[in-house]
Amino acid sequence: MDEAVTTTVDDEEGGLRRSITGKQLFFYTLGDVLGSGIYVLIGLVAAAVGGAFWIAFALGVTVAAITGAAYAELVTKYPQAAGASLYVNKAFGNMALTFLTTVSFLAASFAATGSLATGFASYFATLWEGPPALLVSLVFLLALVVVNFIGITESVVMNMLMTFVEVAGLLIVMVIGIWYIAQGNADFGVLTDISVSGNPALAVLAGIAFSFFAMTGFENTANVAEETIDPHRAFPRSLVGGMIVAGVVYVLVSIAAALTVPVDQLAGSDAALLEVVKQGILPFSTEFMTTLFSIIALVAITNTTLVTVVTQPRILYGMAKEDVVPGVFAKIHATRRSPWVGLLFSAAVVAALLITGNFVQAGGGIDLVNTLALVTVVFLLAIYALVIVTCLKLRGRDEDERTFRANTPLLIVGLLGNLAILGFSIYDDPSSLIWCAGLLAVGVVLFLIENAFGSRNRPAGAGRGDPEAADRKDA
């Protein structure tokens, strides 16, 4: 599942510079969606559905693309770097609902980081089995925090370069599938096999729930609205087009994996796409290809996780500026210009998730990658459904001849699809609500602290979220 964030200028009066072209926006969207989710979760989708798990990816990206159309319509009305929270506030004007939307997005980012860090440890173990998985995950998280603190930001050009690395790994899988078919060894019957007990429709729905983690990330494209040249023209084509291309790639990769590796082997692997490479189908050294693919997967996961780590403190920074969390989260490091308090706090929350999850997993209670990915999906599906409702509610408002209008019947289908996947996800694993509640509680506690004590820590005339307020008071 890939998250992104826009780098804003420090001078708020200067605004953001419009420099992103339509082509760059297309690759930005493609990079956000075509991230590391499929590297981490394809085995879980295969376990849920069977050989026909490509259907789950096809249906999942269809629902996601329809949701993307709703985002495209809203962006052409409100081309500002705020996303779902802005749209919800425009439609309902309810501070509590806007706050819940923002906190849910933050919580989804925390859960996604934990899931990706655990997936990183799984691929890392294919190169070096020595360190414990929890230690690898925590060191990986710490390394990204340090990089973020130093001041690295995610530019569109860098996003494009990292996208090419991620796509390279998926192309390797597709080439293996083509090579295997050319040899005449493929059994296409496996592509229609839903080899699970129970209702096939529910099996596919379960697969969609897992696969949706790989579809997320497109919502972050709305965050670059203020930096896009002619967003009214660029967004509809680039956003929806990027998602469709990503969906085609996912389906082809799924088909290649299903044809070349037994489904039970995919389902039982923590690094399922690596199993495709290990089959030794290409006329190259299997050991070399395995190592190369592991490195590509680690790069893909690192890129996606870095973006989520960048996102979290900036959300807290914005919330502090809006008086909903303590003003300390608006503090910027004097030399590095990074929101260091929010960065450390976010890292602590994710580390707590990893440590808690590993203890529970050790007791045989959960699959940590699965659980945290599902928590991410639950949060985002709720936000997606709300965005579609918001899109429909805002029809006829703030429109002109440049406004893109999504197809209304399709939006209804997308709304029902999001709600169906959300409902099944909760039904299939009710314990996900416990994790969701815990993460939401973090935001609520911060809000209560600010509401109760925020005014006591500010000098006269200083507003909440003023990063220098505490320093002036001490002076």
Side-chain angles (χ1 to χ4, degrees):
M1 177 230 59
D2 307 322
E3 309 283 329
V5 67
T6 300
T7 302
T8 58
V9 296
D10 290 330
D11 180 7
E12 293 182 357
E13 294 181 358
L16 299 173
R17 183 169 63 91
R18 294 195 183 277
S19 60
I20 302 175
T21 66
K23 290 182 179 179
Q24 288 177 322
L25 185 65
F26 170 82
F27 282 105
Y28 190 81
T29 302
L30 186 63
D32 278 346
V33 180
L34 203 61
S36 57
I38 194 167
Y39 287 90
V40 175
L41 289 177
I42 192 171
L44 292 174
V45 181
V49 181
F53 65 89
W54 64 272
I55 297 175
F57 281 99
L59 294 176
V61 79
T62 299
V63 175
I66 295 172
T67 307
Y71 271 91
E73 177 173 333
L74 291 166
V75 167
T76 59
K77 288 185 177 183
Y78 313 107
Q80 302 170 35
S85 297
L86 170 67
Y87 311 144
V88 170
N89 188 55
K90 289 281 187 182
F92 300 99
N94 186 300
M95 181 61 70
L97 185 59
T98 302
F99 171 74
L100 182 61
T101 302
T102 306
V103 172
S104 294
F105 190 83
L106 177 63
S109 181
F110 286 149
T113 303
S115 182
L116 291 168
T118 306
F120 180 93
S122 297
Y123 274 98
F124 187 85
T126 66
L127 299 176
W128 183 21
E129 296 183 355
L134 176 59
L135 178 61
V136 173
S137 298
L138 292 174
V139 171
F140 173 62
L141 174 64
L142 177 62
L144 295 185
V145 168
V146 171
V147 169
N148 195 341
F149 174 75
I150 290 173
I152 189 169
T153 58
E154 195 77 354
S155 70
V156 174
V157 174
M158 180 59 71
N159 183 272
M160 290 172 61
L161 293 176
M162 296 303 291
T163 298
F164 295 147
V165 175
E166 296 169 357
V167 171
L170 301 180
L171 284 176
I172 289 174
V173 175
M174 287 189 282
V175 169
I176 291 173
I178 293 171
W179 196 281
Y180 190 71
I181 292 172
Q183 291 176 336
N185 298 322
D187 175 15
F188 291 98
V190 71
L191 299 179
T192 60
D193 177 30
I194 302 180
S195 54
V196 294
S197 59
N199 190 315
L202 293 180
V204 172
L205 197 56
I208 296 173
F210 290 129
S211 70
F212 222 83
F213 186 83
M215 312 299 172
T216 60
F218 66 87
E219 69 280 353
N220 292 291
T221 306
N223 291 334
V224 301
E226 292 185 45
E227 296 176 291
T228 301
I229 300 171
D230 194 4
H232 299 85
R233 286 174 52 86
F235 261 89
R237 292 181 295 183
S238 299
L239 178 56
V240 179
M243 294 179 66
I244 291 174
V245 171
V248 170
V249 171
Y250 281 160
V251 170
L252 293 177
V253 167
S254 301
I255 290 174
L259 290 176
T260 56
V261 183
V263 174
D264 58 347
Q265 187 174 339
L266 288 173
S269 175
D270 292 329
L273 283 186
L274 192 61
E275 300 298 326
V276 179
V277 180
K278 288 181 178 180
Q279 298 303 303
I281 295 171
L282 294 179
F284 302 107
S285 166
T286 302
E287 182 179 357
F288 168 77
M289 291 301 298
T290 300
T291 301
L292 175 64
F293 191 85
S294 294
I295 293 173
I296 290 174
L298 290 174
V299 170
I301 296 171
T302 299
N303 182 47
T304 304
T305 315
L306 177 60
V307 175
T308 66
V309 171
V310 169
T311 299
Q312 294 151 12
R314 289 178 177 272
I315 293 176
L316 288 167
Y317 176 88
M319 293 172 73
K321 288 291 189 181
E322 294 298 323
D323 299 354
V324 292
V325 298
V328 67
F329 290 111
K331 280 186 172 292
I332 300 294
H333 192 269
T335 57
R336 295 300 180 182
R337 306 305 297 166
S338 59
W340 64 276
V341 177
L343 181 60
L344 292 177
F345 178 82
S346 299
V349 173
V350 176
L353 275 177
L354 290 170
I355 293 170
T356 302
N358 271 271
F359 275 118
V360 177
Q361 183 173 252
I366 62 169
D367 179 326
L368 188 56
V369 171
N370 176 357
T371 298
L372 294 182
L374 187 60
V375 169
T376 304
V377 168
V378 167
F379 277 122
L380 291 180
L381 284 169
I383 293 174
Y384 293 165
L386 184 58
V387 165
I388 294 178
V389 172
T390 296
C391 180
L392 295 172
K393 183 175 176 59
L394 289 171
R395 282 281 169 85
R397 288 173 51 182
D398 303 314
E399 295 179 355
D400 57 34
E401 67 280 359
R402 300 179 301 167
T403 303
F404 170 75
R405 176 168 287 224
N407 182 276
T408 301
L410 281 180
L411 289 182
I412 299 299
V413 171
L415 175 61
L416 295 176
N418 278 299
L419 291 176
I421 301 168
L422 173 61
F424 180 83
S425 299
I426 296 173
Y427 168 79
D428 189 54
D429 186 4
S431 65
S432 63
L433 292 179
I434 299 175
W435 295 83
C436 290
L439 288 169
L440 285 177
V442 173
V444 172
V445 168
L446 292 179
F447 174 78
L448 293 176
I449 291 173
E450 170 64 7
N451 191 58
F453 304 107
S455 61
R456 302 181 186 180
N457 298 319
R458 301 194 309 273
R464 293 179 188 173
D466 181 351
E468 308 300 332
D471 295 336
R472 292 201 303 272
K473 182 178 179 180
D474 294 338

